[in-house]
Amino acid sequence: AGGMSRRRGRDKAFLPWGEVRLIDAVIAALQPVVDEVLIVAKDVQPFLGRGARVVADVLPEQHPWVGVYTGLLLAQHESSFVCACDMPWLQPAVIRHLRSALDDGVDAAVPQGPRGVEPFHAMYTRRAAQSLLRSWREGTRTLQGLLKSLRLRVVTGQELCGLTGWERSLSNVNTPEEYARAAALHDGRLTPVIDALRVLGHSN
């Protein structure tokens, strides 16, 4: 949960999601399928008391992979499922399938959905942290470049298609419009998009 969203001017983790906040929905989705929920953030204070362990980024740079590295480094277990804080439809069956694809020969099992590979909905080993750090110190800053430093097992949509809700599990609410549509769908009614956008401070 990196912090302030440049697109919204506020932290999307705390956007309303039904009667709770988006981050609470993600935590609730994870709890039945993992042994520990770990939130990585620049500022830990807003995330305390939400039923998860909260840790601060161990590197000062502003980059999503700093959160991945921190989580892998500080997690209690050798393998970790990494996801973004704006993925409220996580499916336990998909997470379990990714875990089963994480064999001894790879550093990460990454699903490939309609938008391509999804490194922020993927299973990683602890050893991936050192490969990421080494690539980072060598100057790699792009997402694809950092992925190339890992031994990947790409889990295709064909493998996942038998799992109910697999595409939705990979989806997030990355833009105000996506959030508005998702919030309306979650509410079970056709909430006008403009109303949801007002929550984000967008009046256009």
Side-chain angles (χ1 to χ4, degrees):
M4 188 71 74
S5 171
R6 294 175 182 172
R7 298 182 185 181
R8 297 168 185 79
R10 62 181 294 186
D11 194 330
K12 63 182 173 181
F14 299 106
L15 291 172
W17 189 255
E19 296 181 357
V20 297
R21 300 295 170 176
L22 198 54
I23 186 69
D24 300 314
V26 175
I27 293 171
L30 289 171
Q31 283 175 332
V33 73
V34 301
D35 296 315
E36 172 193 36
V37 177
L38 185 67
I39 301 174
V40 182
K42 289 292 180 188
D43 180 11
V44 302
Q45 193 63 37
F47 297 96
L48 298 176
R50 311 196 86 88
R53 180 178 161 218
V54 188
V55 299
D57 286 335
V58 296
L59 297 175
E61 291 87 352
Q62 296 279 347
H63 195 286
W65 277 102
V66 173
V68 177
Y69 171 73
T70 299
L72 297 179
L73 194 68
L74 300 182
Q76 295 180 5
H77 301 279
E78 289 300 314
S79 61
S80 297
F81 175 71
V82 172
C83 69
C85 68
D86 61 348
M87 304 182 107
W89 287 307
L90 297 169
Q91 297 297 314
V94 178
I95 297 173
R96 291 190 182 101
H97 186 88
L98 293 173
R99 176 64 185 88
S100 69
L102 193 64
D103 59 39
D104 292 337
V106 300
D107 299 318
V110 183
Q112 185 172 39
R115 299 179 297 183
V117 294
E118 299 285 354
F120 295 107
H121 182 296
M123 192 72 65
Y124 294 83
T125 63
R126 190 188 303 277
R127 63 179 173 267
Q130 297 309 314
S131 296
L132 290 171
L133 181 61
R134 181 169 56 252
S135 184
W136 181 267
R137 286 176 171 170
E138 290 172 353
T140 304
R141 292 296 183 267
T142 66
L143 177 62
Q144 293 302 320
L146 287 163
L147 281 177
K148 288 178 181 178
S149 72
L150 304 179
R151 293 172 297 174
L152 291 182
R153 161 81 160 85
V154 177
V155 180
T156 65
Q158 186 174 5
E159 293 178 66
L160 296 171
C161 66
L163 303 177
T164 300
W166 75 271
E167 287 189 62
R168 179 171 286 188
S169 188
L170 305 184
S171 65
N172 60 2
V173 289
N174 199 42
T175 67
E177 291 76 18
E178 288 172 347
Y179 165 73
R181 288 191 293 269
L185 180 61
H186 177 67
D187 286 343
R189 56 192 174 87
L190 295 177
T191 304
V193 170
I194 190 64
D195 288 347
L197 290 176
R198 287 194 183 111
V199 174
L200 301 165
H202 291 254
S203 58
N204 294 330

